[in-house]
Amino acid sequence: LILPLTSGYLARSDFLSLRLECCPLVAQTASFITPLGFVPAVPARSKHELSQPGALADVVHRAVGGVRLLDGTIAPADIDRELHRRLHVSSPWLLPDPIVPRRVAWVQGREDLQSIRRAFEAAAALGIKLVVLDEPGHWMQDDHGPGAHLREAFVEVDITPDRGLSGRIAAAVRAYPEVVDGIVTISDVRLAAVAWASRELGLPTESPEAYDIAADKGRTRMLEEEGRVAESGGGSGEKESFVLACAEDLEPLLAESRRGGGGGGSLLTFPRIVKPVVGWSSECVARVEDEAGLVAAVRRAADRHATSPTPSTAVVVEPYVAGPEVDANLVLLDGEVVFCDISDDFPSEADRAGAGLWANFEETQNVMPSALPSAEQVGIREGLLRSLTAQGFRTGVFHCEARVRNSRCTYRADKQDGIVDLVPQTQIAAAAATDTHPDNESVDVYLHEVNARPPGYLETVAVLLAYGVDYYALRLLTAIGAHHEAPRIRALSQPFRDGPQFHLSLLMVHQALAGVMRTRDPVGEFLDAHPDVKANVVDFNSRKKGGDVLVGPGASDLCWVGFLSVVSRDSRADLLR
């Protein structure tokens, strides 16, 4: 039984089950409190006092929650060690001041409950009432549906991501009969509209202009280039990247480059990356090795969103950076990083030499925590904070993708078992009798993109399980405003003491062929057939199931078949095996 030694108000009512999830000693947890409730302290008592009639019953009655251990052989010292690690006092679950009930409008309810359940449950545990704004007929509209108990109301709104969306959101919130304290979405194409609607209504929000920049990979890249030139003291001002308004703008640039190169050459260097300025899931992102490939990739990228509700034919062309790629998630509070996790984004098909023009950059697996040197991880955190600040952000949850251009590590396959992982460059240099780069060289972080929202559902859940930090809860609180919710944001940004509870690989299963899926539940059936793997899987799902159409790996609209979150408490090497 968990007893409060101080009085206060719980930051979230399900903190016990949240922090003890995947604990190897625990079979079950239960919370005995309600959201926003006051918790009175239990005075410390001696064994003699507890032996008096009724004393123990009084203490038990005051428990905030209970933990049922896996079996009766677990030593008290072991469970105490786990509880101190997960419920340590530096994470103030009990706050001194009352927590005000809040109401948040959530724009776009996602495709099903399984892909958003934890976010909506977080709102309930925080004492936040949700009003879901989405299209008529959405599954959250049904008052008897699977998610009805997790929202206060459903409001029909045309959420097409066009130029009128912010006005429609503002009108719906204004017409709601109760006070709404904030608006939130995790939909990339609706982030800016929600910010503009919040500004119109006087609700807490980051700068809508910042969201506009983050949503545009071209503006993001040009802002990074300006920062790089400024840091170098001005220099020539020459930029590595360029943005095309349409595919037709490429030929004049190529002609100019050929003239500048002289002798039939070109000033353009290869390989390069081509991608639409608007996009997600690495759709239409290509690595090109020559001008012919550049022309074809630019045309494909320009066509991707040409007929979207908000049409765009713009394309960004940038150098291919061969260093290790990372996913980095940052929680900012008034410009301060209060939590950051970094995971290693393993090489994609397009990273392979000679992969070809149509190889894609779909993620293969993300492994947390990162194996990069601590200095490089500090450089990533500081570099991305500068990038977010330059875009205009000060508070929120941000998912960033970047590469370390001059990393001391690179991916190599082990000569004995063939398993790929990061290895120090010094090992390779020693084997080749070559010098490594100087010790005083600073970390060069090359930002690919900023997603001004939590990572995708799979990674958000993975971070929650590994570190004990819930990005959805933090995003809801930042939507209410740092002025109101700073104590809870700080409290809920505290990870487990001594780091993540295991090494975790978020392993993606991609479409290898086009056709119709015959297997009813591909990932589930795979795990049933391989119980040795299943024992180490903490989360999984099949997105494509029996009867679903697969478009294959070369399609513009990429969609994974399924995923598995595989863990090891022993080591990263054991995890990868």
Side-chain angles (χ1 to χ4, degrees):
L1 296 174
I2 308 300
L3 307 173
L5 296 182
T6 58
S7 299
Y9 298 84
L10 269 174
R12 62 182 291 173
S13 60
D14 62 349
F15 81 102
L16 192 59
S17 61
L18 185 83
R19 298 288 280 201
L20 290 176
E21 191 165 1
C22 296
C23 177
L25 308 183
V26 170
Q28 182 185 4
T29 60
S31 175
F32 306 152
I33 51 178
T34 56
L36 308 180
F38 176 74
V39 177
V42 176
R45 305 186 190 189
S46 67
K47 290 183 179 180
H48 173 72
E49 290 174 315
L50 287 174
S51 68
Q52 303 304 308
L56 185 59
D58 178 63
V59 169
V60 169
H61 182 69
R62 295 169 180 249
V64 297
V67 179
R68 184 167 64 84
L69 302 184
L70 204 58
D71 60 57
T73 64
I74 297 174
D78 291 337
I79 187 62
D80 280 350
R81 189 180 306 111
E82 283 291 336
L83 290 175
H84 282 296
R85 177 187 184 190
R86 296 161 184 271
L87 308 178
H88 55 88
V89 294
S90 60
S91 179
W93 300 105
L94 286 169
L95 302 176
D97 298 319
I99 300 171
V100 179
R102 301 290 184 181
R103 181 178 289 102
V104 167
W106 183 287
V107 179
Q108 196 204 36
R110 315 307 284 180
E111 60 266 29
D112 54 36
L113 182 60
Q114 190 168 7
S115 62
I116 199 62
R117 173 181 62 83
R118 286 180 181 263
F120 289 178
E121 288 176 346
L126 293 167
I128 297 173
K129 295 179 180 179
L130 285 183
V131 180
V132 177
L133 277 57
D134 211 318
E135 303 282 349
H138 187 271
W139 61 271
M140 282 294 286
Q141 187 169 17
D142 185 357
D143 288 338
H144 304 287
H149 64 291
L150 295 172
R151 50 84 168 159
E152 178 181 71
F154 180 92
V155 177
E156 293 184 1
V157 178
D158 175 5
I159 61 167
T160 303
D162 55 23
R163 289 182 174 83
L165 177 58
S166 63
R168 296 193 297 273
I169 293 172
V173 171
R174 191 180 288 113
Y176 194 71
E178 304 292 342
V179 173
V180 173
D181 300 288
I183 314 174
V184 69
T185 187
I186 55 174
S187 167
D188 287 318
V189 294
R190 298 173 177 87
L191 291 168
V194 163
W196 286 109
S198 298
R199 174 179 283 183
E200 179 181 338
L201 295 169
L203 295 175
T205 182
E206 291 296 285
S207 160
E209 292 85 357
Y211 282 104
D212 284 334
I213 295 172
D216 187 317
K217 294 179 175 60
R219 294 179 66 184
T220 295
R221 173 76 346 238
M222 292 302 100
L223 189 61
E224 290 292 300
E225 298 265 328
E226 291 169 8
R228 183 179 64 84
V229 171
E231 287 181 6
S232 66
S236 65
E238 184 176 342
K239 296 181 178 180
E240 299 177 298
S241 310
F242 53 90
V243 178
L244 305 170
C246 60
E248 289 71 25
D249 288 351
L250 177 61
E251 183 52 42
L253 188 146
L254 290 177
E256 181 181 349
S257 177
R258 296 186 195 108
R259 287 194 298 271
S266 172
L267 290 177
L268 277 180
T269 57
F270 293 91
R272 286 187 169 270
I273 297 296
V274 177
K275 56 189 177 184
V277 299
V278 177
W280 44 87
S281 303
S282 299
E283 291 180 354
C284 290
V285 179
R287 172 181 172 177
V288 299
E289 306 290 341
D290 50 37
E291 283 193 9
L294 178 62
V295 171
V298 165
R299 170 55 64 189
R300 183 177 185 235
D303 290 344
R304 177 65 183 94
H305 300 287
T307 59
S308 298
T310 305
S312 172
T313 58
V315 176
V316 61
V317 180
E318 61 191 29
Y320 171 74
V321 176
E325 185 169 354
V326 296
D327 278 11
N329 303 302
L330 293 86
V331 181
L332 300 189
L333 179 61
D334 290 330
E336 174 192 354
V337 179
V338 292
F339 179 71
C340 172
D341 90 271
I342 300 172
S343 60
D344 296 321
D345 193 348
F346 273 48
S348 302
E349 174 64 18
D351 286 307
R352 182 174 54 83
L357 177 61
W358 305 120
N360 62 56
F361 282 96
E362 280 190 298
E363 293 181 345
T364 53
Q365 66 172 332
N366 277 42
V367 177
M368 58 186 72
S370 173
L372 290 173
S374 58
E376 292 186 12
Q377 295 193 47
V378 170
I380 291 168
R381 172 176 167 148
E382 293 178 349
L384 294 178
L385 175 59
R386 286 194 296 271
S387 295
L388 291 169
T389 302
Q391 291 191 352
F393 293 111
R394 289 190 53 78
T395 296
V397 182
F398 304 92
H399 173 66
C400 304
E401 299 177 14
R403 294 203 181 209
V404 182
R405 204 170 204 169
N406 59 340
S407 176
R408 298 183 181 277
C409 294
T410 189
Y411 284 98
R412 285 289 186 275
D414 186 88
K415 292 182 178 179
Q416 294 183 339
D417 58 21
I419 293 176
V420 175
D421 196 8
L422 283 171
V423 297
Q425 297 269 19
T426 50
Q427 293 182 8
I428 302 169
T434 59
D435 293 331
T436 57
H437 52 89
D439 289 339
N440 61 356
E441 189 172 358
S442 61
V443 179
D444 187 355
V445 180
Y446 191 90
L447 175 68
H448 281 320
E449 61 182 60
V450 169
N451 299 284
R453 40 100 179 138
Y457 190 77
L458 323 180
E459 189 171 330
T460 293
V461 174
V463 172
L464 170 61
L465 298 178
Y467 292 90
V469 175
D470 184 356
Y471 288 137
Y472 286 137
L474 294 168
R475 181 64 188 94
L476 285 161
L477 294 176
T478 59
I480 296 169
H483 175 72
H484 299 294
E485 293 289 357
R488 283 210 284 182
I489 293 171
R490 289 191 181 277
L492 299 180
S493 295
Q494 301 301 313
F496 298 135
R497 179 180 287 168
D498 305 323
Q501 64 173 318
F502 38 53
H503 295 270
L504 183 149
S505 170
L506 180 56
L507 184 66
M508 310 303 296
V509 182
H510 294 297
Q511 299 186 28
L513 299 169
V516 177
M517 176 66 73
R518 291 188 297 174
T519 307
R520 180 185 58 82
D521 180 4
V523 178
E525 292 183 23
F526 166 80
L527 291 177
D528 289 341
H530 299 276
D532 55 328
V533 177
K534 188 174 184 177
N536 296 290
V537 172
V538 294
D539 193 21
F540 71 92
N541 186 33
S542 295
R543 192 172 185 181
K544 293 292 186 180
K545 299 184 178 182
D548 289 342
V549 174
L550 273 61
V551 294
S556 298
D557 187 5
L558 299 175
C559 178
W560 39 268
V561 173
F563 81 93
L564 308 88
S565 286
V566 190
V567 304
S568 171
R569 299 181 191 275
D570 296 331
S571 67
R572 181 179 172 111
D574 179 61
L575 167 68
L576 295 177
R577 278 195 296 272

Short mmCIF file of all heavy atoms in Angstrom, two decimals, residues 437-465:
data_model
loop_
_atom_site.label_atom_id
_atom_site.label_comp_id
_atom_site.label_asym_id
_atom_site.label_seq_id
_atom_site.Cartn_x
_atom_site.Cartn_y
_atom_site.Cartn_z
N HIS A 437 38.76 12.49 -36.55
CA HIS A 437 38.71 13.95 -36.54
C HIS A 437 39.19 14.49 -35.19
O HIS A 437 39.17 13.78 -34.18
CB HIS A 437 37.30 14.45 -36.88
CG HIS A 437 36.22 13.84 -36.05
ND1 HIS A 437 35.82 14.37 -34.86
CD2 HIS A 437 35.45 12.74 -36.24
CE1 HIS A 437 34.85 13.64 -34.34
NE2 HIS A 437 34.62 12.64 -35.15
N PRO A 438 39.61 15.73 -35.12
CA PRO A 438 40.22 16.29 -33.91
C PRO A 438 39.29 16.23 -32.71
O PRO A 438 38.05 16.30 -32.84
CB PRO A 438 40.53 17.75 -34.30
CG PRO A 438 40.55 17.76 -35.79
CD PRO A 438 39.59 16.70 -36.23
N ASP A 439 39.87 16.13 -31.51
CA ASP A 439 39.07 16.05 -30.29
C ASP A 439 38.28 17.33 -30.04
O ASP A 439 37.24 17.30 -29.40
CB ASP A 439 39.99 15.79 -29.09
CG ASP A 439 40.54 14.36 -29.10
OD1 ASP A 439 39.93 13.51 -29.77
OD2 ASP A 439 41.58 14.12 -28.46
N ASN A 440 38.79 18.47 -30.52
CA ASN A 440 38.13 19.74 -30.21
C ASN A 440 37.07 20.13 -31.24
O ASN A 440 36.54 21.24 -31.20
CB ASN A 440 39.18 20.85 -30.09
CG ASN A 440 39.95 21.06 -31.39
OD1 ASN A 440 39.76 20.32 -32.36
ND2 ASN A 440 40.84 22.05 -31.39
N GLU A 441 36.74 19.24 -32.17
CA GLU A 441 35.73 19.57 -33.17
C GLU A 441 34.35 19.55 -32.53
O GLU A 441 33.98 18.59 -31.85
CB GLU A 441 35.79 18.56 -34.32
CG GLU A 441 34.92 18.96 -35.50
CD GLU A 441 35.15 18.04 -36.71
OE1 GLU A 441 35.98 17.15 -36.62
OE2 GLU A 441 34.46 18.26 -37.72
N SER A 442 33.56 20.60 -32.74
CA SER A 442 32.25 20.70 -32.12
C SER A 442 31.24 19.80 -32.83
O SER A 442 31.44 19.41 -33.98
CB SER A 442 31.76 22.15 -32.14
OG SER A 442 31.65 22.60 -33.47
N VAL A 443 30.17 19.48 -32.12
CA VAL A 443 29.12 18.61 -32.66
C VAL A 443 28.32 19.40 -33.70
O VAL A 443 27.81 20.48 -33.42
CB VAL A 443 28.20 18.11 -31.54
CG1 VAL A 443 27.10 17.23 -32.11
CG2 VAL A 443 29.01 17.34 -30.50
N ASP A 444 28.21 18.86 -34.90
CA ASP A 444 27.48 19.51 -36.00
C ASP A 444 26.15 18.80 -36.18
O ASP A 444 26.08 17.71 -36.76
CB ASP A 444 28.32 19.44 -37.27
CG ASP A 444 27.71 20.24 -38.42
OD1 ASP A 444 26.60 20.77 -38.25
OD2 ASP A 444 28.34 20.35 -39.49
N VAL A 445 25.09 19.42 -35.66
CA VAL A 445 23.75 18.83 -35.72
C VAL A 445 23.03 19.36 -36.96
O VAL A 445 22.86 20.58 -37.10
CB VAL A 445 22.94 19.16 -34.45
CG1 VAL A 445 21.56 18.54 -34.52
CG2 VAL A 445 23.69 18.68 -33.22
N TYR A 446 22.62 18.47 -37.83
CA TYR A 446 21.94 18.87 -39.07
C TYR A 446 20.45 18.54 -38.92
O TYR A 446 20.04 17.38 -38.97
CB TYR A 446 22.53 18.13 -40.26
CG TYR A 446 22.08 18.68 -41.60
CD1 TYR A 446 22.79 19.69 -42.23
CD2 TYR A 446 20.92 18.20 -42.21
CE1 TYR A 446 22.38 20.19 -43.46
CE2 TYR A 446 20.49 18.71 -43.43
CZ TYR A 446 21.23 19.70 -44.05
OH TYR A 446 20.81 20.20 -45.25
N LEU A 447 19.64 19.58 -38.71
CA LEU A 447 18.20 19.40 -38.51
C LEU A 447 17.51 19.03 -39.82
O LEU A 447 17.69 19.69 -40.84
CB LEU A 447 17.60 20.71 -37.97
CG LEU A 447 16.08 20.73 -37.81
CD1 LEU A 447 15.63 19.78 -36.71
CD2 LEU A 447 15.59 22.15 -37.52
N HIS A 448 16.73 17.95 -39.78
CA HIS A 448 15.90 17.60 -40.93
C HIS A 448 14.52 18.26 -40.85
O HIS A 448 14.05 18.84 -41.81
CB HIS A 448 15.73 16.08 -41.02
CG HIS A 448 16.90 15.38 -41.61
ND1 HIS A 448 17.60 15.88 -42.68
CD2 HIS A 448 17.50 14.20 -41.29
CE1 HIS A 448 18.58 15.06 -43.00
NE2 HIS A 448 18.56 14.04 -42.16
N GLU A 449 13.89 18.13 -39.68
CA GLU A 449 12.55 18.72 -39.55
C GLU A 449 12.16 18.86 -38.10
O GLU A 449 12.67 18.16 -37.22
CB GLU A 449 11.51 17.87 -40.28
CG GLU A 449 11.36 16.45 -39.76
CD GLU A 449 10.34 15.65 -40.56
OE1 GLU A 449 10.53 15.49 -41.78
OE2 GLU A 449 9.38 15.17 -39.94
N VAL A 450 11.24 19.78 -37.85
CA VAL A 450 10.61 19.98 -36.55
C VAL A 450 9.13 19.65 -36.69
O VAL A 450 8.44 20.20 -37.54
CB VAL A 450 10.77 21.43 -36.06
CG1 VAL A 450 9.89 21.69 -34.85
CG2 VAL A 450 12.23 21.73 -35.72
N ASN A 451 8.66 18.74 -35.85
CA ASN A 451 7.23 18.48 -35.74
C ASN A 451 6.78 19.07 -34.40
O ASN A 451 7.18 18.57 -33.34
CB ASN A 451 6.95 16.98 -35.79
CG ASN A 451 7.42 16.35 -37.10
OD1 ASN A 451 6.79 16.50 -38.12
ND2 ASN A 451 8.57 15.67 -37.05
N ALA A 452 5.99 20.13 -34.46
CA ALA A 452 5.64 20.87 -33.25
C ALA A 452 4.49 20.19 -32.52
O ALA A 452 3.44 20.78 -32.25
CB ALA A 452 5.28 22.32 -33.62
N ARG A 453 4.75 18.94 -32.16
CA ARG A 453 3.76 18.12 -31.44
C ARG A 453 4.52 16.90 -30.91
O ARG A 453 5.68 16.67 -31.27
CB ARG A 453 2.62 17.69 -32.36
CG ARG A 453 3.04 17.30 -33.78
CD ARG A 453 3.13 15.80 -33.97
NE ARG A 453 3.50 15.41 -35.32
CZ ARG A 453 4.34 14.45 -35.59
NH1 ARG A 453 4.94 13.78 -34.62
NH2 ARG A 453 4.65 14.12 -36.84
N PRO A 454 3.89 16.09 -30.06
CA PRO A 454 4.58 14.88 -29.59
C PRO A 454 4.91 13.95 -30.76
O PRO A 454 4.34 14.09 -31.86
CB PRO A 454 3.54 14.23 -28.66
CG PRO A 454 2.63 15.34 -28.26
CD PRO A 454 2.57 16.27 -29.44
N PRO A 455 5.82 13.01 -30.54
CA PRO A 455 6.08 12.04 -31.60
C PRO A 455 4.85 11.21 -31.88
O PRO A 455 3.83 11.32 -31.17
CB PRO A 455 7.21 11.18 -31.02
CG PRO A 455 7.10 11.35 -29.54
CD PRO A 455 6.61 12.75 -29.34
N GLY A 456 4.90 10.36 -32.91
CA GLY A 456 3.77 9.51 -33.23
C GLY A 456 3.37 8.64 -32.05
O GLY A 456 4.14 8.44 -31.10
N TYR A 457 2.17 8.09 -32.11
CA TYR A 457 1.63 7.33 -30.99
C TYR A 457 2.57 6.22 -30.54
O TYR A 457 2.77 6.00 -29.34
CB TYR A 457 0.27 6.73 -31.39
CG TYR A 457 -0.50 6.13 -30.23
CD1 TYR A 457 -1.17 6.95 -29.33
CD2 TYR A 457 -0.55 4.75 -30.03
CE1 TYR A 457 -1.88 6.40 -28.26
CE2 TYR A 457 -1.26 4.20 -28.98
CZ TYR A 457 -1.92 5.04 -28.09
OH TYR A 457 -2.61 4.50 -27.04
N LEU A 458 3.19 5.52 -31.50
CA LEU A 458 4.06 4.40 -31.15
C LEU A 458 5.24 4.86 -30.31
O LEU A 458 5.58 4.25 -29.30
CB LEU A 458 4.57 3.71 -32.42
CG LEU A 458 3.64 3.59 -33.62
CD1 LEU A 458 4.35 2.88 -34.76
CD2 LEU A 458 2.39 2.84 -33.23
N GLU A 459 5.88 5.94 -30.74
CA GLU A 459 7.06 6.43 -30.03
C GLU A 459 6.68 7.10 -28.72
O GLU A 459 7.40 7.00 -27.73
CB GLU A 459 7.85 7.39 -30.91
CG GLU A 459 9.21 7.77 -30.34
CD GLU A 459 10.07 8.54 -31.33
OE1 GLU A 459 9.94 8.31 -32.55
OE2 GLU A 459 10.88 9.37 -30.88
N THR A 460 5.55 7.79 -28.69
CA THR A 460 5.09 8.40 -27.44
C THR A 460 4.87 7.33 -26.38
O THR A 460 5.28 7.48 -25.22
CB THR A 460 3.80 9.19 -27.68
OG1 THR A 460 4.09 10.32 -28.51
CG2 THR A 460 3.23 9.70 -26.36
N VAL A 461 4.23 6.22 -26.76
CA VAL A 461 4.02 5.13 -25.81
C VAL A 461 5.34 4.48 -25.43
O VAL A 461 5.57 4.14 -24.26
CB VAL A 461 3.05 4.08 -26.40
CG1 VAL A 461 2.94 2.87 -25.47
CG2 VAL A 461 1.68 4.70 -26.62
N ALA A 462 6.25 4.33 -26.39
CA ALA A 462 7.56 3.73 -26.10
C ALA A 462 8.32 4.55 -25.06
O ALA A 462 8.92 4.00 -24.13
CB ALA A 462 8.37 3.60 -27.38
N VAL A 463 8.31 5.89 -25.22
CA VAL A 463 8.99 6.76 -24.25
C VAL A 463 8.31 6.67 -22.89
O VAL A 463 8.97 6.64 -21.84
CB VAL A 463 9.02 8.21 -24.76
CG1 VAL A 463 9.54 9.17 -23.69
CG2 VAL A 463 9.87 8.31 -26.02
N LEU A 464 6.99 6.62 -22.87
CA LEU A 464 6.25 6.48 -21.62
C LEU A 464 6.67 5.21 -20.88
O LEU A 464 6.92 5.22 -19.67
CB LEU A 464 4.75 6.46 -21.90
CG LEU A 464 3.82 6.10 -20.74
CD1 LEU A 464 3.97 7.09 -19.60
CD2 LEU A 464 2.38 6.04 -21.21
N LEU A 465 6.76 4.09 -21.61
CA LEU A 465 7.11 2.83 -20.98
C LEU A 465 8.57 2.81 -20.53
O LEU A 465 8.91 2.28 -19.47
CB LEU A 465 6.85 1.67 -21.94
CG LEU A 465 5.39 1.47 -22.37
CD1 LEU A 465 5.28 0.31 -23.35
CD2 LEU A 465 4.49 1.23 -21.18
#
